[in-house]
Amino acid sequence: MSEVESISRTPAGDTRDLTMIEAINEALDIMLERDPDVILLGEDIGYFGGVFRATAGLQEKHGKTRVFDTPISECGIIGVAVGMGAYGLRPVPEIQFADYIYPGLDQLVSEAARLRYRSAAEFIAPMTVRTPFGGGIFGGQTHSQSPEALFTHVAGLKTVVPSTPYDAKGLLIAAIEDNDPVIFFEPKRIYNGPFDGYYDQPTRPWKGHPDAHVPEGHYTVSLGQARIVRAGDALTVLAYGTMVHVAEAVCRQKAVDAEIIDLRTLVPLDIEAIEKSVRKTGRCLIVHEATRTSGFGAELSALVTERCFYHLEAPVERVTGFDTPYPHSLEWAYFPGPVRVGEGIDKLLSE
Amino acid sequence: MAEHDAATRQNRPRLSLHVPEPLFRPGDKVDFTHLVIPHAGLQPRPDESCHPRETFALCTDLVRVLDDDHQAQGPWNPRLAPDQLRRILREMALIRAFDSRMYRLQRQGKTSFYLKCSGEEATSIAATHALDFEDMIFPSYRQQGCLIARGYPLVDMINQIFSNRADKLKGRQLPILYSAKSVNFFTISGNLATQLPQATGFAMASASRGDSKIAVGWVGEGSTAEGDFHSALLFAAVYNAPVIFNIVNNQWAISSFSGFAGAERATFAARAIGYGIAGLRVDGNDVLAVYAAQRWAADRARANAGPTLIEYFTFRAEGHSTSDDPTAYRSAQEGVEWPLGDPIARLRDHLIAIGEWSIAQHESMDGELDEQVKTATREAEKNGILGHGLHQPDRTMFEDVFEDQPWHLKEQAAQAVHERRVKYPDGDTA
């Protein structure tokens, strides 16, 4: 199903090329229009339209009681969103940077994630927390983190990471319509154009990229469904967010017949797509920006080893950020760029 | 190093760290004469739609209605009909009888945990009477009185306490962490103060939809130290949310006296001042004062005049929970000497003083309530007690984590069912 959808995608409506930011803005606009229960809140998202412009124009169009600014209090933003969900609204809170989600963590882990379970479904938290994440923009320690593993570890939360404008819109609409709490990580490095890891080359815009053709109107990309970015036989690459583009570029340059899977949703995970691919290729490379130890790659590696052990021709390889806080000046030494990904591929293929 | 530095700066006074200490410890003779308890009826009652600053003097005062002669005094007298007062009295006595029996059931090993609200019955019950049924209550774990006041069935409460097969929460929650949407009582969390920003959010949602419901958050004075307390008050103030924050200042947070939540410097009601919201400090053992204050705040919220913070000054008459022994940290005399008395006795005496009640009626009522709780307990025990079979099927553990079950939970549910077959080869395979 994943393959069919990704390789011969034929969207229904008219398409234009949008950046990921424009695609996100359009998804929010559509949901505000369609569902009176959708409400947007966060720091600087109202009048100003967000520090990344994701909510530009939405307050003017939908009014101050649907789209509004909040105090600088992540605990408050998430906490009131839980209460709004209990009332029956469908809140979409924004946390300005994923690095600043921690003050809201108790409300996410102890409350949003468990509301349905502990109340036996009397109360639910149908909220989507949007938050820019990932590095590659000289953001230093507190504008670059990838804390997805903290959330994938929490029972009751769904975790989503888009890598293209098409997916960003479809996944965000699906997340907002989903009745479970969703953490929606937006890779800010690829807001305005794909990034292949070559930081010393000019940035490309999304315009002209096949995944930037975004249909008008409402459509969804199902949560829990991976995308086969490229079909291949030599090895399987599991990636999400910015790293999908880095892996794709490296495989192209090395002319490796890799099968690249963009996970899109980390929880629930598309285990079928992963198993099918690794059983075919016999080799698996896992790539993420987040630090290595106890990162989501460890879960992926364990799952692949448990479920595809007799098909593996080499140990599962992980290419990740280093186990340090995200540095400022040494950003490109930290970032798992083309050299590290390339060596991971070489190692896997040499086994 | 630090010592050396200090020694070379002899011309400056040495700093000292202040660590609060309660006035009385186990064995101490208790003397509450330092507490300022103003006469009933003297506190002014501003209009419900007043500017918050008109309430600031009331944040350090104490709103009281019932005087030492058991008469209702002053502008805060809510002038409730005797029938309603008798209903409130009955519900307070019922929750006390309920607490007492549940506590014993825990001691008998029929459940793992219980927690009484003794001495604080007026706060939850009288406050709930002052609200509309549609108003959403965001309780902490010591507001079982709200459930009673909204007519929630005792049997359902006990089923939850027993975690038995009739437990509406399917045995997932620690006893007393009720959830009762049918009576607009929000699911209780073990994590303190998280319900306060949620109450604000509910109130903001209601306001944004042009609804007329308000939200009511409850918190102990100890939990006001949590960051969520600040977030809740700030958001409520910023958006003028129709929410009431009820702080039950019962003087103790497990073994820590209220000084560790800041009580040595300011009243809890005074926190309202800094946020620019209305605040009231109320005699929490005075049913009439509690009702009047809650009604004032509810009317204020309903009129879009904004949030209110209310501190109920009361006393936790018993241990924190069945896992706690208060004689290890406070004087046993404190409860006896508490100058605001017992809320049930004070309302009883008021009703007697106005000729609407008698000792004989009271005793007969207590007997009836004991019987009512006993009957409900017997009914609930038919559905099982903790650890004695009759619990939820194992598969239910995996339900409601998400709306739909993802593959990993389906696999784990199958494992649990398998384990059950291994443990009970001849039993049911739920």
Side-chain angles (χ1 to χ4, degrees):
Chain A
M1 189 164 177
S2 312
E3 279 177 73
V4 174
E5 197 225 338
S6 64
I7 293 170
S8 59
R9 182 191 298 146
T10 49
D14 290 343
T15 70
R16 308 99 338 128
D17 284 3
L18 298 185
T19 67
M20 188 182 280
I21 277 290
E22 288 165 342
I24 287 165
N25 184 275
E26 196 166 278
L28 295 170
D29 189 19
I30 287 168
M31 289 313 294
L32 282 162
E33 193 78 51
R34 278 171 74 97
D35 184 349
D37 290 334
V38 170
I39 189 165
L40 271 53
L41 67 159
E43 297 157 18
D44 306 300
I45 72 144
Y47 183 85
F48 178 58
V51 295
F52 291 105
R53 316 308 302 149
T55 55
L58 298 180
Q59 183 180 74
E60 194 181 10
K61 184 169 173 189
H62 300 282
K64 282 208 303 187
T65 61
R66 303 282 308 281
V67 180
F68 55 84
D69 294 318
T70 64
I72 305 172
S73 167
E74 290 76 13
C75 161
I77 293 167
I78 306 291
V80 302
V82 173
M84 289 171 168
Y87 176 88
L89 299 192
R90 205 168 274 282
V92 186
E94 177 185 298
I95 300 297
Q96 203 161 78
F97 287 86
D99 315 62
Y100 302 132
I101 205 166
Y102 310 123
L105 214 54
D106 188 36
Q107 284 287 348
L108 282 171
V109 175
S110 309
E111 303 296 318
R114 298 195 197 150
L115 215 54
R116 176 189 293 277
Y117 192 73
R118 77 170 195 236
S119 71
E122 281 194 337
F123 298 96
I124 61 170
M127 60 196 267
T128 301
V129 182
R130 290 182 42 248
T131 186
F133 102 134
I137 58 148
F138 279 106
Q141 292 184 30
T142 55
H143 299 79
S144 309
Q145 295 168 37
S146 298
E148 66 274 18
L150 292 175
F151 298 92
T152 57
H153 189 57
V154 177
L157 293 181
K158 291 180 176 173
T159 307
V160 175
V161 189
S163 72
T164 66
Y166 177 88
D167 279 2
K169 180 176 168 185
L171 285 167
L172 182 53
I173 290 175
I176 294 171
E177 290 178 345
D178 197 284
N179 286 327
D180 294 315
V182 179
I183 313 297
F184 194 86
F185 286 116
E186 300 169 0
K188 63 179 108 56
R189 183 62 182 81
I190 56 173
Y191 265 155
N192 295 311
F195 177 64
D196 57 14
Y198 289 93
Y199 54 90
D200 46 356
Q201 291 174 12
T203 307
R204 286 175 301 143
W206 276 112
K207 200 167 173 53
H209 192 287
D211 292 325
H213 305 332
V214 178
E216 286 183 24
H218 177 279
Y219 71 93
T220 59
V221 172
S222 301
L223 305 188
Q225 201 175 91
R227 174 176 70 105
I228 311 294
V229 179
R230 180 192 188 283
D233 290 316
L235 79 157
T236 299
V237 179
L238 303 181
Y240 47 92
T242 304
M243 298 313 296
V244 169
H245 302 279
V246 178
E248 201 183 356
V250 173
C251 290
R252 194 170 50 240
Q253 284 146 16
K254 294 175 84 77
V256 176
D257 186 25
E259 179 145 302
I260 301 173
I261 300 182
D262 175 1
L263 298 176
R264 300 201 287 200
T265 306
L266 307 188
V267 176
L269 186 66
D270 189 346
I271 194 68
E272 274 178 52
I274 295 170
E275 275 185 54
K276 194 175 161 201
S277 177
V278 176
R279 286 174 184 211
K280 178 176 70 173
T281 64
R283 297 169 201 275
C284 181
L285 177 73
I286 294 160
V287 190
H288 62 58
E289 282 183 68
T291 50
R292 185 179 186 84
T293 302
S294 301
F296 190 65
E299 179 64 28
L300 289 171
S301 173
L303 284 168
V304 166
T305 307
E306 286 162 4
R307 303 169 90 94
C308 308
F309 185 78
Y310 295 106
H311 296 81
L312 286 175
E313 290 164 40
V316 176
E317 183 71 17
R318 279 185 289 163
V319 169
T320 69
F322 295 126
D323 281 338
T324 69
Y326 206 109
H328 185 239
S329 70
L330 295 177
E331 169 141 69
W332 300 117
Y334 172 93
F335 187 87
V339 171
R340 204 178 307 155
V341 172
E343 289 191 351
I345 290 170
D346 291 346
K347 191 177 167 197
L348 258 180
L349 294 179
S350 70
E351 294 276 346
Chain B
M1 188 72 178
E3 218 168 278
H4 172 78
D5 286 350
T8 59
R9 287 188 273 109
Q10 295 285 331
N11 58 335
R12 297 185 196 176
R14 279 176 180 270
L15 297 170
S16 66
L17 178 69
H18 172 67
V19 179
E21 183 62 30
L23 290 172
F24 318 111
R25 285 296 194 185
D28 287 349
K29 187 169 159 20
V30 168
D31 177 4
F32 279 125
T33 50
H34 65 282
L35 280 186
V36 180
I37 308 289
H39 285 294
L42 299 183
Q43 300 73 41
R45 184 185 181 285
D47 187 81
E48 286 89 342
S49 58
C50 71
H51 190 279
R53 82 170 71 86
E54 287 183 53
T55 68
F56 290 169
L58 289 165
C59 291
T60 49
D61 203 332
L62 197 65
V63 173
R64 305 185 73 216
V65 174
L66 288 172
D67 68 12
D68 294 345
D69 299 323
H70 315 303
Q71 297 294 334
Q73 303 291 355
W76 286 94
N77 179 5
R79 302 180 188 285
L80 296 179
D83 273 349
Q84 186 162 13
L85 288 178
R86 279 188 290 263
R87 269 205 303 281
I88 292 174
L89 181 71
R90 189 178 184 88
E91 288 166 7
M92 289 201 296
L94 176 58
I95 198 63
R96 189 167 289 183
F98 184 82
D99 276 358
S100 160
R101 181 152 298 269
M102 293 307 117
Y103 191 90
R104 268 180 286 156
L105 292 176
Q106 191 278 336
R107 288 296 188 246
Q108 292 164 14
K110 290 183 177 176
T111 188
S112 60
F113 181 80
Y114 194 71
L115 184 150
K116 295 180 172 185
C117 66
S118 306
E120 305 171 29
E121 293 91 346
T123 55
S124 56
I125 287 173
T128 304
H129 273 258
L131 300 170
D132 285 352
F133 185 82
E134 63 170 15
D135 298 333
M136 183 64 88
I137 294 169
F138 289 78
S140 85
Y141 45 62
R142 222 183 287 276
Q143 276 75 51
Q144 53 265 57
C146 299
L147 285 174
I148 297 288
R150 289 227 164 135
Y152 193 70
L154 292 184
V155 178
D156 285 341
M157 293 173 75
I158 306 171
N159 285 333
Q160 198 280 331
I161 290 165
F162 285 158
S163 278
N164 63 22
R165 68 177 168 190
D167 172 11
K168 288 181 188 299
L169 305 184
K170 305 185 182 180
R172 292 175 188 155
Q173 271 283 51
L174 195 67
I176 76 164
L177 299 185
Y178 312 103
S179 177
K181 195 176 188 181
S182 60
V183 294
N184 296 317
F185 182 97
F186 188 69
T187 160
I188 302 174
S189 173
N191 294 61
L192 298 175
T194 50
Q195 69 275 13
L196 295 188
Q198 294 163 2
T200 302
F202 186 97
M204 289 167 65
S206 182
S208 80
R209 295 308 301 271
D211 199 344
S212 59
K213 289 177 195 168
I214 65 168
V216 182
W218 289 85
V219 72
E221 94 286 350
S223 309
T224 63
E226 294 284 3
D228 294 69
F229 177 78
H230 162 68
S231 300
L233 265 66
L234 180 69
F235 276 66
V238 167
Y239 301 103
N240 199 46
V243 59
I244 306 172
F245 301 111
N246 289 318
I247 303 176
V248 180
N249 176 9
N250 67 12
Q251 317 300 320
W252 290 91
I254 307 186
S255 76
S256 301
F257 88 113
S258 57
F260 285 100
E264 287 180 337
R265 312 266 169 163
T267 69
F268 293 96
R271 309 273 189 259
I273 299 171
Y275 294 95
I277 71 178
L280 301 170
R281 187 164 174 270
V282 176
D283 178 348
N285 291 11
D286 178 340
V287 163
L288 300 181
V290 170
Y291 180 97
Q294 190 76 15
R295 188 60 189 266
W296 186 92
D299 288 346
R300 179 176 176 80
R302 261 185 253 291
N304 279 316
T308 304
L309 176 72
I310 305 177
E311 172 187 354
Y312 299 106
F313 197 69
T314 183
F315 187 76
R316 195 192 77 207
E318 304 238 3
H320 165 71
S321 72
T322 48
S323 309
D324 178 44
D325 171 15
T327 65
Y329 51 80
R330 72 181 189 189
S331 169
Q333 255 200 315
E334 270 190 48
V336 183
E337 300 284 329
W338 182 246
L340 296 176
D342 174 85
I344 296 179
R346 282 174 68 189
L347 181 57
R348 178 199 63 198
D349 294 344
H350 170 61
L351 277 165
I352 293 172
I354 61 173
E356 293 287 348
W357 196 238
S358 70
I359 292 290
Q361 278 175 298
H362 197 87
E363 282 171 359
S364 133
M365 175 187 75
D366 276 345
E368 277 170 47
L369 295 176
D370 262 344
E371 206 44 56
Q372 186 185 340
V373 174
K374 241 185 261 176
T375 306
T377 305
R378 271 197 299 269
E379 204 56 38
E381 281 197 41
K382 288 181 194 161
N383 303 314
I385 55 171
L386 183 68
H388 287 253
L390 300 178
H391 52 66
Q392 308 292 330
D394 290 12
R395 63 176 163 71
T396 62
M397 173 166 52
F398 302 93
E399 294 166 358
D400 300 328
V401 177
F402 296 101
E403 184 173 37
D404 301 313
Q405 220 166 48
W407 64 271
H408 62 285
L409 285 175
K410 283 187 186 141
E411 284 188 4
Q412 291 167 29
Q415 169 70 18
V417 169
H418 161 73
E419 283 177 22
R420 191 171 177 83
R421 283 203 197 98
V422 173
K423 279 191 274 188
Y424 309 104
D426 303 320
D428 74 276
T429 51

